[in-house]
Amino acid sequence: MSHLLEVKNLDVKFDTDEGRITAVENISLTVDQGEVLGIVGESGSGKSVTAKSIMKLNPGNTSYNEDAEIILDNENVLQFTSKQDLKKIRGGKVSMIFQEPMASFAPAIKIGAQMVEQLLIHKNINKDEAKSISINMLKRVGIADAEKRFNQYAFELSGGMRQRAMIAMALSTMPKLLLADEPTTALDVTIQAQVINLIKDIIKEYQMGVIFITHDLGVIAQVADHVAVMYLGSVVEKGPVNEILKNPKHPYTKGLLQALPDINNLDAPLSPIPGNIPSPLDRPTGCVFRTRCPHHNPEGKDGKIEMKLIEVESGHWVDQCGIQCGQNG
Amino acid sequence: MGDNLISVNNVSVNFDYQENFISKKQKIHAVNNINIKIKKGSFFGLVGESGSGKTTLGRAILGANKISSGNVIFHDDERDYELTNMNKQDLKEYRKKAQLIFQDPYAALSPRMTVRDIIAEPLEVMKITNSRQETDERVRDIAAKCRLNIEHLRRFPHAFSGGQRQRISIARALVSNPKFIVADESVAALDVSIQADILNLLKQLQTELNLTYLFISHDLSVVAHVCDVVAVMYLGHIVEMGPSRELFKNPKHSYTKALLSSIPSIDPEKRSEAIELKGEIPSALNPPPGCVFRTRCPNPGVDCKGGEITMGLTEVEPGHWVDQCCVL
Ligand SMILES: Nc1ncnc2c1ncn2[C@@H]1O[C@H](COP(=O)(O)OP(=O)(O)O)[C@@H](O)[C@H]1O
Ligand SMILES: Nc1ncnc2c1ncn2[C@@H]1O[C@H](COP(=O)(O)OP(=O)(O)O)[C@@H](O)[C@H]1O
Ligand code: SF4
Ligand code: SF4
Ligand SMILES: [Mg+2]
Ligand SMILES: [Mg+2]
């Protein structure tokens, strides 16, 4: 069976006043139906840009490489230019949810009106049908008094309810792929647990594919089947969630885990990854992580070796130089 | 008093609230009858969901929010400062001794201020230094202690990363040589690696400068790692308080247990062990009578249903306090 989504060799560059920057370089990912791919990495690592590429939502100063492919349901999204085609990836087959639900809702339009409008664009149904689908979806995500909420504005809802309403709107068109960009980052842990459980139930029920972006490895452990670890635009390691979290190979993945306060291991010191993420304008040559890597060897090869993932265990891929240096250092 | 730097005695903070000018005046019960003692040199944690009153309590202790009833006493070496009974001179001195670390000073300050100006401002406002040279020396000294690059003092903070901005914020809070620091969600917006770095810095500064912290955070894993004493707040009340390790290993209150179980475990094999709390924290305008957690409690006891119980902490182990109604 072919994958629901296959991203192949994607580069994303932006032309800015300060020059051309590489936000994403040579990444390849797959998502199957019913599968959650977690993307984790510090801010600026290219997670949101990757997700937006799938909906072609990056702005006008963006360029994609010629040989890149984003195959969704057997079509290359990067070739889409017509309104009809773009509709498919913007609310049709693909929907996106965000950290800030107000990003999904126009402040002056009622929640229900927005849901109905979206459905009428994407589905061949009438207004009444759209209304009943919307109200059912609001109920499905756990919103009490769905009929009343349907006629309210987003700002009138509490934080947790707004998050649910955004999820309801994103799901009402029954997308095949859901892009969730830090949807729980601003929430209290209690509400985060509710939203995570809701998203997991819905994925199971509708068998959609999901890309779940977060900088929180705990959240990744709870929702993802597979994980891709991104640093400065590159995927440095990817594989099944259990493998990546329990048997990490790349120094960056290990660094993230060592910096994380684990409530079950209070004696472990919190070890920051030394240094700062370089600006994408000064992206290091060779291994992108070498300016912060504890195993970096200035005389070694890491400035020259091309980054490339190799398979170390079944399905567990790590950047080749990571392994070479790891073995040396 | 000896060991304690801060005593919070029966402190309540209410805000007046009126939905519009014809509706009747109501009270927001943000903080209710709080009693805590913060030991000298301790890293005191305050946790709870947003809206539980953490910021209001922190500000009340700094004298930045009016206290509706009760009192806060700051036990300095030579004398006590009683917050509800201070003259102008006292207040001036207290401001030097008790400081807040802003979450993002850049958001609160003029973008035209250099890093040096941001750090120097408290010295100038409180007229602590007598010459520009003295100010510059103090700024350089604290910047170095906060591991800021001295070269960067002439720059503007928008050019800096989140971690560097947080260091600027810490330096600004410490420049007046305070003894007590309130850090309100100081690491909330940071990536884990920078978060680890800032937490280590706070620890190091604590020893170096003999600081006492009130560390406010909604992140229990962070609090468990850095704090020695922790108080758990819910809807204006402290429902449980005790030595950090004891409290996290042996939580007694239903709310603490639920909060702890909501932390997403880093182990993918430990999924869905969360005691899912239904709903959200109720409005502080109409807190439920009796136990404030009753409307969301996953396992209320028979006695809890009536809502007649008065809240109040009781000591279950030395130093470990739990709301009495949850113990009964
Ligand atoms: N439209 C744009 N123009 C220029 N640079 C951009 C644009 N969008 C994103 N970037 C840059 O691309 C990099 C990756 O950004 P992003 O994907 O948002 O990171 P993440 O989501 O992992 O925090 C960052 O350095 C960011 O500043
Ligand atoms: N200045 C204010 N005026 C009115 N209500 C306030 C004010 N500050 C806080 N509150 C209310 O007090 C309660 C506690 O808020 P806060 O102390 O900010 O909680 P936390 O810091 O735990 O999120 C909330 O219900 C909040 O809306
Ligand atoms: S290649 Fe070298 S610098 Fe890069 S991650 Fe591996 S060990 Fe570190
Ligand atoms: S007192 Fe009763 S209702 Fe309140 S938290 Fe304890 S068990 Fe739950
Ligand atoms: Mg992002
Ligand atoms: Mg607060």
Side-chain angles (χ1 to χ4, degrees), chain A residues 14-16 21-24 41-50 52 58-59 61-62 181-182 213 280:
Chain A
F14 295 111
D15 287 313
T16 70
I21 67 170
T22 301
V24 165
E42 289 165 285
S43 34
S45 54
K47 305 181 297 295
S48 296
V49 167
T50 301
K52 284 185 199 156
N58 285 311
N61 64 342
T62 312
D181 192 353
E182 310 253 9
I213 294 174

mmCIF file of all heavy atoms in Angstrom, chain A residues 14-16 21-24 41-50 52 58-59 61-62 181-182 213 280, ligand 1:
data_model
loop_
_atom_site.group_PDB
_atom_site.id
_atom_site.type_symbol
_atom_site.label_atom_id
_atom_site.label_comp_id
_atom_site.label_asym_id
_atom_site.label_seq_id
_atom_site.Cartn_x
_atom_site.Cartn_y
_atom_site.Cartn_z
ATOM 1 N N PHE A 14 13.878 30.708 1.855
ATOM 2 C CA PHE A 14 13.189 32.001 1.849
ATOM 3 C C PHE A 14 14.157 33.076 1.399
ATOM 4 O O PHE A 14 15.299 33.116 1.866
ATOM 5 C CB PHE A 14 12.700 32.359 3.255
ATOM 6 C CG PHE A 14 11.648 31.437 3.795
ATOM 7 C CD1 PHE A 14 11.940 30.581 4.853
ATOM 8 C CD2 PHE A 14 10.372 31.414 3.250
ATOM 9 C CE1 PHE A 14 10.975 29.734 5.373
ATOM 10 C CE2 PHE A 14 9.397 30.565 3.763
ATOM 11 C CZ PHE A 14 9.694 29.728 4.818
ATOM 12 N N ASP A 15 13.694 33.947 0.526
ATOM 13 C CA ASP A 15 14.495 35.115 0.165
ATOM 14 C C ASP A 15 14.147 36.240 1.121
ATOM 15 O O ASP A 15 12.991 36.635 1.227
ATOM 16 C CB ASP A 15 14.216 35.521 -1.283
ATOM 17 C CG ASP A 15 14.840 34.526 -2.243
ATOM 18 O OD1 ASP A 15 16.029 34.198 -2.028
ATOM 19 O OD2 ASP A 15 14.148 34.049 -3.159
ATOM 20 N N THR A 16 15.159 36.709 1.844
ATOM 21 C CA THR A 16 14.923 37.799 2.803
ATOM 22 C C THR A 16 15.889 38.939 2.500
ATOM 23 O O THR A 16 16.803 38.780 1.678
ATOM 24 C CB THR A 16 15.167 37.332 4.258
ATOM 25 O OG1 THR A 16 16.569 37.127 4.439
ATOM 26 C CG2 THR A 16 14.429 36.045 4.575
ATOM 27 N N ILE A 21 17.708 32.193 2.976
ATOM 28 C CA ILE A 21 17.926 31.292 4.099
ATOM 29 C C ILE A 21 17.301 29.932 3.832
ATOM 30 O O ILE A 21 16.282 29.823 3.163
ATOM 31 C CB ILE A 21 17.400 31.869 5.437
ATOM 32 C CG1 ILE A 21 15.889 31.987 5.437
ATOM 33 C CG2 ILE A 21 18.027 33.201 5.761
ATOM 34 C CD1 ILE A 21 15.357 32.321 6.810
ATOM 35 N N THR A 22 17.968 28.926 4.360
ATOM 36 C CA THR A 22 17.482 27.567 4.211
ATOM 37 C C THR A 22 16.732 27.199 5.480
ATOM 38 O O THR A 22 17.325 27.040 6.534
ATOM 39 C CB THR A 22 18.677 26.607 4.015
ATOM 40 O OG1 THR A 22 19.376 27.036 2.853
ATOM 41 C CG2 THR A 22 18.216 25.177 3.835
ATOM 42 N N ALA A 23 15.412 27.085 5.381
ATOM 43 C CA ALA A 23 14.607 26.765 6.565
ATOM 44 C C ALA A 23 14.449 25.263 6.713
ATOM 45 O O ALA A 23 14.317 24.744 7.829
ATOM 46 C CB ALA A 23 13.249 27.437 6.478
ATOM 47 N N VAL A 24 14.444 24.558 5.578
ATOM 48 C CA VAL A 24 14.303 23.104 5.583
ATOM 49 C C VAL A 24 15.232 22.555 4.517
ATOM 50 O O VAL A 24 15.311 23.106 3.423
ATOM 51 C CB VAL A 24 12.832 22.711 5.269
ATOM 52 C CG1 VAL A 24 12.725 21.240 4.910
ATOM 53 C CG2 VAL A 24 11.918 23.038 6.451
ATOM 54 N N GLY A 41 11.559 19.269 17.935
ATOM 55 C CA GLY A 41 12.786 20.046 17.756
ATOM 56 C C GLY A 41 12.586 21.411 18.380
ATOM 57 O O GLY A 41 11.459 21.821 18.626
ATOM 58 N N GLU A 42 13.683 22.111 18.653
ATOM 59 C CA GLU A 42 13.590 23.437 19.266
ATOM 60 C C GLU A 42 12.953 24.438 18.307
ATOM 61 O O GLU A 42 12.825 24.160 17.106
ATOM 62 C CB GLU A 42 14.996 23.934 19.631
ATOM 63 C CG GLU A 42 15.617 23.201 20.798
ATOM 64 C CD GLU A 42 17.105 23.456 20.886
ATOM 65 O OE1 GLU A 42 17.858 22.895 20.072
ATOM 66 O OE2 GLU A 42 17.520 24.224 21.761
ATOM 67 N N SER A 43 12.609 25.622 18.815
ATOM 68 C CA SER A 43 11.984 26.589 17.911
ATOM 69 C C SER A 43 12.991 27.012 16.849
ATOM 70 O O SER A 43 14.183 27.112 17.107
ATOM 71 C CB SER A 43 11.413 27.794 18.655
ATOM 72 O OG SER A 43 12.192 28.112 19.751
ATOM 73 N N GLY A 44 12.495 27.222 15.667
ATOM 74 C CA GLY A 44 13.350 27.583 14.548
ATOM 75 C C GLY A 44 13.896 26.402 13.785
ATOM 76 O O GLY A 44 14.656 26.562 12.832
ATOM 77 N N SER A 45 13.507 25.176 14.169
ATOM 78 C CA SER A 45 14.087 24.015 13.498
ATOM 79 C C SER A 45 13.381 23.677 12.179
ATOM 80 O O SER A 45 13.833 22.800 11.453
ATOM 81 C CB SER A 45 14.119 22.808 14.439
ATOM 82 O OG SER A 45 12.858 22.543 14.961
ATOM 83 N N GLY A 46 12.284 24.361 11.873
ATOM 84 C CA GLY A 46 11.644 24.141 10.572
ATOM 85 C C GLY A 46 10.388 23.295 10.623
ATOM 86 O O GLY A 46 9.892 22.850 9.590
ATOM 87 N N LYS A 47 9.854 23.092 11.814
ATOM 88 C CA LYS A 47 8.669 22.237 11.964
ATOM 89 C C LYS A 47 7.443 22.872 11.295
ATOM 90 O O LYS A 47 6.757 22.211 10.502
ATOM 91 C CB LYS A 47 8.375 22.002 13.459
ATOM 92 C CG LYS A 47 9.550 21.432 14.241
ATOM 93 C CD LYS A 47 9.221 21.179 15.704
ATOM 94 C CE LYS A 47 8.868 22.398 16.538
ATOM 95 N NZ LYS A 47 9.961 23.380 16.713
ATOM 96 N N SER A 48 7.184 24.121 11.607
ATOM 97 C CA SER A 48 5.999 24.773 11.038
ATOM 98 C C SER A 48 6.138 24.952 9.525
ATOM 99 O O SER A 48 5.173 24.756 8.781
ATOM 100 C CB SER A 48 5.771 26.144 11.679
ATOM 101 O OG SER A 48 5.490 25.989 13.044
ATOM 102 N N VAL A 49 7.335 25.309 9.084
ATOM 103 C CA VAL A 49 7.558 25.489 7.647
ATOM 104 C C VAL A 49 7.284 24.177 6.907
ATOM 105 O O VAL A 49 6.660 24.161 5.847
ATOM 106 C CB VAL A 49 9.004 25.987 7.391
ATOM 107 C CG1 VAL A 49 9.379 25.873 5.928
ATOM 108 C CG2 VAL A 49 9.152 27.431 7.868
ATOM 109 N N THR A 50 7.706 23.062 7.492
ATOM 110 C CA THR A 50 7.454 21.755 6.877
ATOM 111 C C THR A 50 5.951 21.519 6.744
ATOM 112 O O THR A 50 5.460 21.140 5.683
ATOM 113 C CB THR A 50 8.077 20.634 7.735
ATOM 114 O OG1 THR A 50 9.482 20.878 7.835
ATOM 115 C CG2 THR A 50 7.843 19.266 7.121
ATOM 116 N N LYS A 52 3.506 23.727 6.760
ATOM 117 C CA LYS A 52 2.880 24.676 5.835
ATOM 118 C C LYS A 52 3.157 24.309 4.378
ATOM 119 O O LYS A 52 2.341 24.583 3.504
ATOM 120 C CB LYS A 52 3.380 26.092 6.114
ATOM 121 C CG LYS A 52 2.760 26.714 7.352
ATOM 122 C CD LYS A 52 3.228 28.155 7.474
ATOM 123 C CE LYS A 52 3.050 28.689 8.873
ATOM 124 N NZ LYS A 52 3.979 29.807 9.124
ATOM 125 N N ASN A 58 3.273 28.544 2.625
ATOM 126 C CA ASN A 58 4.396 29.454 2.849
ATOM 127 C C ASN A 58 4.252 30.661 1.922
ATOM 128 O O ASN A 58 3.717 30.551 0.826
ATOM 129 C CB ASN A 58 5.720 28.719 2.619
ATOM 130 C CG ASN A 58 6.040 27.796 3.782
ATOM 131 O OD1 ASN A 58 5.978 28.203 4.937
ATOM 132 N ND2 ASN A 58 6.326 26.538 3.484
ATOM 133 N N PRO A 59 4.754 31.825 2.350
ATOM 134 C CA PRO A 59 4.485 33.052 1.592
ATOM 135 C C PRO A 59 5.269 33.153 0.285
ATOM 136 O O PRO A 59 6.024 32.247 -0.082
ATOM 137 C CB PRO A 59 4.919 34.145 2.567
ATOM 138 C CG PRO A 59 5.904 33.497 3.465
ATOM 139 C CD PRO A 59 5.495 32.073 3.580
ATOM 140 N N ASN A 61 7.877 34.678 -0.741
ATOM 141 C CA ASN A 61 9.342 34.662 -0.835
ATOM 142 C C ASN A 61 9.916 33.245 -0.703
ATOM 143 O O ASN A 61 11.097 33.057 -0.497
ATOM 144 C CB ASN A 61 9.947 35.575 0.245
ATOM 145 C CG ASN A 61 9.638 35.088 1.659
ATOM 146 O OD1 ASN A 61 8.733 34.287 1.870
ATOM 147 N ND2 ASN A 61 10.401 35.568 2.615
ATOM 148 N N THR A 62 9.044 32.240 -0.816
ATOM 149 C CA THR A 62 9.466 30.850 -0.619
ATOM 150 C C THR A 62 9.891 30.213 -1.931
ATOM 151 O O THR A 62 9.239 30.417 -2.953
ATOM 152 C CB THR A 62 8.273 30.020 -0.093
ATOM 153 O OG1 THR A 62 7.667 30.720 0.970
ATOM 154 C CG2 THR A 62 8.719 28.641 0.361
ATOM 155 N N ASP A 181 -0.097 21.744 14.740
ATOM 156 C CA ASP A 181 1.134 22.494 15.030
ATOM 157 C C ASP A 181 1.096 23.018 16.462
ATOM 158 O O ASP A 181 0.499 24.051 16.732
ATOM 159 C CB ASP A 181 1.290 23.638 14.020
ATOM 160 C CG ASP A 181 2.685 24.269 14.066
ATOM 161 O OD1 ASP A 181 3.480 23.901 14.967
ATOM 162 O OD2 ASP A 181 2.972 25.134 13.220
ATOM 163 N N GLU A 182 1.724 22.308 17.374
ATOM 164 C CA GLU A 182 1.781 22.683 18.796
ATOM 165 C C GLU A 182 0.388 22.930 19.385
ATOM 166 O O GLU A 182 0.199 23.930 20.094
ATOM 167 C CB GLU A 182 2.646 23.939 19.000
ATOM 168 C CG GLU A 182 4.003 23.880 18.332
ATOM 169 C CD GLU A 182 5.166 23.683 19.307
ATOM 170 O OE1 GLU A 182 4.917 23.409 20.504
ATOM 171 O OE2 GLU A 182 6.315 23.779 18.857
ATOM 172 N N ILE A 213 3.124 18.273 15.666
ATOM 173 C CA ILE A 213 4.343 19.044 15.916
ATOM 174 C C ILE A 213 4.359 19.514 17.358
ATOM 175 O O ILE A 213 3.359 20.030 17.856
ATOM 176 C CB ILE A 213 4.379 20.270 14.989
ATOM 177 C CG1 ILE A 213 4.523 19.806 13.536
ATOM 178 C CG2 ILE A 213 5.491 21.222 15.369
ATOM 179 C CD1 ILE A 213 4.414 20.929 12.532
ATOM 180 N N PRO A 280 19.707 30.745 10.726
ATOM 181 C CA PRO A 280 19.675 29.985 9.472
ATOM 182 C C PRO A 280 20.508 30.652 8.376
ATOM 183 O O PRO A 280 20.845 30.025 7.374
ATOM 184 C CB PRO A 280 18.191 29.954 9.098
ATOM 185 C CG PRO A 280 17.506 30.923 9.979
ATOM 186 C CD PRO A 280 18.377 31.185 11.151
HETATM 187 N N1 LIG C 1 8.292 33.543 5.633
HETATM 188 C C1 LIG C 1 9.510 33.423 6.128
HETATM 189 N N2 LIG C 1 10.507 34.218 5.707
HETATM 190 C C2 LIG C 1 11.750 34.080 6.205
HETATM 191 N N3 LIG C 1 12.111 33.166 7.129
HETATM 192 C C3 LIG C 1 11.155 32.359 7.590
HETATM 193 C C4 LIG C 1 9.803 32.434 7.137
HETATM 194 N N4 LIG C 1 9.083 31.491 7.789
HETATM 195 C C5 LIG C 1 9.935 30.860 8.619
HETATM 196 N N5 LIG C 1 11.178 31.370 8.500
HETATM 197 C C6 LIG C 1 12.384 30.895 9.205
HETATM 198 O O1 LIG C 1 12.501 29.517 8.979
HETATM 199 C C7 LIG C 1 13.029 28.851 10.115
HETATM 200 C C8 LIG C 1 12.120 27.709 10.540
HETATM 201 O O2 LIG C 1 10.923 28.265 11.077
HETATM 202 P P1 LIG C 1 9.739 27.395 11.676
HETATM 203 O O3 LIG C 1 9.380 26.314 10.743
HETATM 204 O O4 LIG C 1 8.678 28.360 12.027
HETATM 205 O O5 LIG C 1 10.381 26.769 12.980
HETATM 206 P P2 LIG C 1 9.669 25.916 14.132
HETATM 207 O O6 LIG C 1 8.225 25.742 13.756
HETATM 208 O O7 LIG C 1 10.419 24.626 14.194
HETATM 209 O O8 LIG C 1 9.845 26.717 15.375
HETATM 210 C C9 LIG C 1 13.213 29.907 11.175
HETATM 211 O O9 LIG C 1 14.550 30.327 11.156
HETATM 212 C C10 LIG C 1 12.292 31.012 10.713
HETATM 213 O O10 LIG C 1 12.742 32.256 11.160
#
